[in-house]
């Protein structure tokens, strides 16, 4: 690890910030206590909701942790396309007996208010998804002593993050579960994401920043692989989603290893932005018709997803998952960190033996 990353966590293991409830204070604190770097996901929360979770983590651990923010989105959605999709979802609303959400509930996710809180009462790490903050914002965090990370999916995005003054980049391969953290949502690039190992190598040749590798990582041997490729740490989401400390819905946790769900795909069905999840009925029926309209589609489908969860119906939920989901292990978060570290040590020892 780079010295800066090494100061934040004993082991090169980062728990991914998973918006929607999974990355709760209990999970973040457990990972940090075990020597990894736990993360809270501020996405979809109010500024005060984020602050209350920060306070909870501080009450549970004295170790460093991070908070992830969603960048405000430009208004590029076609209102007519959103309206057409609303009509297509009318049957879902009737089936789950719930009204559809308001697509115009907001595009900035309370960004400025969250920035103000995190600059006034700094946390050790702040990461950003769906874009890159301005140099002024990153400079302000640097002055506050906060380590900043920008999620990137291409070498060009990594270069933009370096130019803006980020301390590190989280390099997200196409294998990753949940939303692809692209800086610009361009439907013309759907399906053209880069695999993690290739992307780590490309980014390492493009920027001088420390790299955190993310995407489909479930075992210590895979962590060893991305570290050998030049990453300073590995970020895992799906691996921690099934832990008892995770705030993910029980149906979501069970689906990771349920043989009914055989594969993942990238879809716009639930949010209007490409996100990887387990293929279910909702994705199959609505994915082909979902417009490029984030966060409008997210707001539109939010009541449907909540109603499906309440009804115990995983076929109507957004079951975000990385490509390695079948390898999920139902272990306490701290124990999972220990197992991953042991696997990492084993893989490194085998590699060293092969070299001798």
């Amino acid at each position: 690890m780079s010295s800066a990353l090494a100061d934040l966590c004993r082991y090169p293991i980062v728990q991914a910030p998973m918006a929607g409830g999974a990355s709760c204070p209990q999970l973040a604190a457990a990972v940090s206590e075990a020597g990894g770097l736990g993360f809270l996901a501020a996405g979809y929360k109010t500024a005060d909701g984020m602050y209350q979770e920060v306070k909870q983590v501080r009450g549970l651990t004295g170790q460093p942790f991070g908070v992830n923010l969603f960048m405000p989105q430009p208004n590029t959605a076609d209102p007519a396309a959103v309206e057409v999709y609303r009509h297509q979802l009318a049957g879902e609303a009737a089936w789950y007996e719930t009204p559809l959400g308001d697509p115009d509930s907001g595009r900035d996710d309370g960004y400025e208010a969250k920035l103000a809180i995190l600059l006034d009462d700094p946390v050790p790490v702040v990461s950003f998804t769906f874009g890159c903050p301005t140099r002024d914002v990153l400079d302000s965090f640097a002055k506050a002593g906060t380590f900043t990370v920008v999620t990137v999916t291409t070498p060009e995005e990594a270069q933009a993050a370096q130019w803006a003054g980020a301390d590190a980049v989280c390099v997200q391969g196409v294998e990753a579960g949940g939303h692809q953290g692209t800086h610009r949502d361009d439907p013309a690039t759907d399906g053209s994401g880069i695999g993690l190992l290739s992307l780590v190598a490309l980014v390492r040749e493009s920027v001088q920043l420390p790299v955190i590798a993310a995407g489909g990582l479930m075992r210590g041997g895979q962590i060893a692989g991305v570290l050998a490729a030049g990453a300073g740490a590995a970020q895992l989401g799906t691996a921690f989603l099934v832990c008892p400390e995770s705030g993910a819905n029980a149906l979501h946790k069970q689906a990771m290893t349920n043989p009914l769900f055989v594969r993942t795909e990238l879809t716009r069905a639930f949010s209007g932005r490409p996100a990887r999840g387990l293929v279910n009925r909702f994705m199959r029926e609505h994915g082909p018709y979902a417009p490029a309209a984030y966060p409008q589609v997210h707001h539109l489908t939010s009541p449907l997803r909540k109603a499906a969860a309440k009804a115990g119906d995983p076929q109507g939920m957004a079951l975000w998952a990385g490509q390695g989901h079948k390898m999920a292990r139902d272990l306490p978060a701290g124990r999972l960190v220990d197992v991953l570290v042991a696997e990492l040590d084993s893989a490194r020892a085998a590699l060293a033996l092969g070299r001798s």
Side-chain angles (χ1 to χ4, degrees):
M1 283 192 288
S2 73
S3 59
L5 285 173
D7 288 343
L8 293 166
C9 47
R10 190 158 73 251
Y11 305 122
I13 296 172
V14 179
Q15 165 247 313
M18 297 170 280
S23 297
C24 60
Q26 292 75 17
L27 179 62
V31 172
S32 289
E33 277 290 295
L37 181 65
F39 252 97
L40 291 174
Y44 309 137
K45 290 184 174 69
T46 64
D48 183 62
M50 176 198 75
Y51 181 59
Q52 295 305 320
E53 289 204 345
V54 167
K55 288 205 297 185
Q56 286 182 58
V57 175
R58 285 174 171 155
L60 293 168
T61 182
Q63 299 302 315
F65 65 95
V67 175
N68 175 257
L69 301 181
F70 284 173
M71 294 295 297
Q73 298 300 290
N75 188 16
T76 56
D78 178 359
V82 175
E83 188 59 25
V84 168
Y85 196 53
R86 170 190 282 280
H87 285 296
Q88 289 175 339
L89 295 175
E92 299 282 351
W95 175 256
Y96 290 115
E97 299 180 334
T98 187
L100 294 167
D102 176 8
D104 298 316
S105 297
R107 294 190 305 275
D108 69 354
D109 200 50
Y111 178 71
E112 293 295 339
K114 291 171 183 175
L115 284 183
I117 288 171
L118 294 172
L119 287 169
D120 181 61
D121 190 3
V123 298
V125 188
V126 172
S127 69
F128 302 86
T129 301
F130 301 149
C132 182
T134 63
R135 176 172 284 278
D136 286 347
V137 166
L138 292 172
D139 284 349
S140 295
F141 276 115
K143 289 173 186 171
T146 296
F147 188 84
T148 53
V149 183
V150 173
T151 306
V152 302
T153 61
T154 66
E156 293 75 22
E157 290 174 354
Q159 288 169 341
Q162 179 171 267
W163 181 86
D167 292 313
V169 286
C170 177
V171 173
Q172 185 196 44
V174 73
E175 305 95 333
H179 284 93
Q180 293 286 292
T182 53
H183 291 192
R184 180 169 160 265
D185 184 15
D186 181 2
T189 63
D190 282 5
S192 63
I194 305 171
L196 181 58
L197 282 176
S198 295
L199 186 57
V200 167
L202 287 165
V203 168
R204 285 277 295 161
E205 292 194 4
S206 301
V207 300
Q208 303 299 311
L209 298 176
V211 165
I212 299 169
L217 304 175
M218 303 292 288
R219 295 286 188 265
Q222 292 172 295
I223 295 173
V226 294
L227 297 182
Q235 179 171 287
L236 293 78
T238 305
F240 285 106
L241 186 143
V242 299
C243 293
E245 296 92 340
S246 159
N249 184 282
L251 292 170
H252 193 170
K253 294 182 181 185
Q254 292 159 11
M256 293 300 107
T257 52
N258 186 332
L260 284 175
F261 301 103
V262 298
R263 70 184 193 281
T264 65
E265 283 184 7
L266 288 168
T267 185
R268 293 181 181 271
F270 298 101
S271 72
R273 230 182 191 275
R276 184 174 297 282
L278 299 175
V279 177
N280 61 2
R281 178 194 60 79
F282 194 101
M283 191 189 294
R284 286 192 298 269
E285 292 183 3
H286 302 292
Y289 312 105
Y294 178 87
Q296 289 87 343
V297 171
H298 163 79
H299 295 313
L300 194 64
T301 68
S302 180
L304 296 177
R305 290 178 275 127
K306 289 175 183 174
K310 189 175 179 182
D313 181 12
Q315 296 295 338
M317 297 167 60
L319 303 173
W320 303 138
Q323 287 184 341
H325 66 93
K326 292 180 182 178
M327 294 189 284
R329 298 178 282 201
D330 181 6
L331 295 172
R335 174 65 182 145
L336 180 56
V337 171
D338 291 342
V339 170
L340 289 167
V341 170
E343 291 173 346
L344 170 59
D345 289 344
S346 241
R348 283 172 155 169
L351 187 61
L353 193 61
R355 284 175 177 165
S356 61

